Amino acid sequence: MLAQLIALDWGTTSLRAYKLAEGGQVLEQRSLSSGIMQLPKAPRVIAGRECTDGFELAFDQACGDWLDEQPGLPVIACGMVGSAQGWCEAAYRDTPANVATLGTALQTVRSLRGVDVHIVPGVIQRSRLPNVMRGEETQVLGVLQTLSNEAGADLLIGLPGSHSKWVEVADGCIVHFDTFMTGEVFAVLSEHSILGRTQQRGGSFDDEAFDRGVQVALSADGETGVLSTMFSARSLGLTGALSATAQPDYLSGLLIGHELSALARVLRHRRNSVHLPSIILIGNAQLCTRYSRALDACGFARVALVEQATERGLWQLALAAGLITPNPSR
Amino acid sequence: MLAQLIALDWGTTSLRAYKLAEGGQVLEQRSLSSGIMQLPKAPRVIAGRECTDGFELAFDQACGDWLDEQPGLPVIACGMVGSAQGWCEAAYRDTPANVATLGTALQTVRSLRGVDVHIVPGVIQRSRLPNVMRGEETQVLGVLQTLSNEAGADLLIGLPGSHSKWVEVADGCIVHFDTFMTGEVFAVLSEHSILGRTQQRGGSFDDEAFDRGVQVALSADGETGVLSTMFSARSLGLTGALSATAQPDYLSGLLIGHELSALARVLRHRRNSVHLPSIILIGNAQLCTRYSRALDACGFARVALVEQATERGLWQLALAAGLITPNPSR
């Protein structure tokens, strides 16, 4: 089966490449660590020329052989590759942002081998505290493609990660979203703070320790806020009430619990209702498992997981941009 | 004037040494970076013997020459030096802990040069989420020494630092305290997270940026919690609304603002009153300036600063322990 599109999900720390065929079917996929903040440096010959540009090198690593086989394949990319620190800046689109039409606003950069890379713009919400996303807008489109029309009525799309996003959609538009730096805070605390010194990492998921952390965030003790409760990961260790192996998942549950309890509180204020929306989660399966457990504890009754949102979204945007046709000649 | 006591404030990252005379008068003081987590390593000869022990080396650096001059001087030390990772563990005393009588519970370690170092125990609060302190109990005693009896009636003692402590005292006892990891979170975010990448540090204090951060924490936007609002240090930078030089103090204000707004909320719940206690601040002068500004914004109307609390507290504990006498023979 011939490929029709190369789709790249190019973030800060990783680069995922998909070779897609008719209907968006995934023929092959790769995951590289060549995110825009850790691009390759070793020079290579690309298209007959010695090359030292990190973006060109990463692009060649990700899909050079696919383009050698089928030189005419169109290429689309989303994520931080379109940021000011990326390969070519694709200016943000303002909320409310119609995700289906983002395909008409692609930014193009011509690679050394002469192939154009079409970059999806991110979305900005110019609220008092602004919010920005790059890559998540494509995943949101991928989710909307899989939903029936009714399903979107009272829905919040959650994208856990280093910076988790919670996205409200209406009539195919991203109308509002919030960002939480929970994942990155967990990483820097574990690697660089005193909390990491007593942690023993690398074990399997300790669901009991995780749930305990979530419950602390939801309890009266949680009212002091995460800057205070996080110290309990150390003090419970000092008193022998939390083992070294349980500390990482306890801290993870604590941070995610604070994120979701704040989210629930804010949603109830905004909606002026105790009722919480349905949740669709997209992302890493292990992380979605954690968020599902914590969402349940925080009173979110309806939670569903969606997979392959990125590649579906990129396929749809390539269609909207005319890079591919729905029923190509064979 | 002859010295009567060597007093050490020996923490995780620093070691401060005081040579004290009658009445606790400071004759000389030194500040070294030989905290218990960064002890010296280069071997030296101490008391005629080659020595490689980090605690001995740091102790000798801090006050070896003072002891050479006056070999009989008693030595007292507070802080992390008494922790399980310290020179000699001094078991925690439980709350309610009478700070004046901590001097009767000193732990002794004999140094290579034959001098005993008397270590002050820390305090533990065995609440559901336990809390611990080491060093702050001595500062609290130092504060109480300087107050009139009436002043302590409705008082909260604040000790800003890497891990700030907020201590309630009644009848000379520490009855309750809270810990916030605000200082360490600021440090790890600035040094290791994406927020640090766009920060330009090292300028003078930007009070406007700091106050702006405090106000965000107190605003309706602050309801999403610090894990969410901290992203604004980046997004306001991306939109040109916060300069690179303003970002560090904005983030500082944001974190301290979240700490103090949570503290005020919890105090009002606990006391079942809108009225907030008087505050006494002890610590680094620049940090106390930040906290004073933020306390004012958070509705704490009465804030006073106390200096030299550590050396006063250590002097009092040495008196209580009988290491020195109030009126020595001359």
Side-chain angles (χ1 to χ4, degrees), chain B residues 142-160:
Chain B
V143 168
L144 295 182
Q145 286 297 320
T146 67
L147 294 181
S148 60
N149 282 340
E150 318 85 73
D154 186 23
L155 187 68
L156 189 68
I157 300 176
L159 305 105

Side-chain angles (χ1 to χ4, degrees), chain B residues 217-262:
Chain B
L218 294 175
S219 72
D221 291 322
E223 282 184 19
T224 51
V226 68
L227 293 170
S228 177
T229 59
M230 65 171 67
F231 188 64
S232 67
R234 175 171 173 76
S235 64
L236 287 168
L238 285 173
T239 57
L242 190 68
S243 71
T245 54
Q247 286 174 34
D249 287 326
Y250 173 80
L251 181 63
S252 168
L254 193 61
L255 297 181
I256 292 174
H258 276 288
E259 170 181 347
L260 296 182
S261 69

Side-chain angles (χ1 to χ4, degrees), chain A residues 214-228:
Chain A
V214 172
Q215 287 306 325
V216 166
L218 294 176
S219 73
D221 292 322
E223 281 185 20
T224 51
V226 67
L227 293 170
S228 178

Side-chain angles (χ1 to χ4, degrees), chain A residues 2-17:
Chain A
L2 271 186
Q4 291 187 16
L5 179 70
I6 293 175
L8 306 177
D9 175 13
W10 200 338
T12 303
T13 57
S14 70
L15 165 54
R16 273 176 287 271

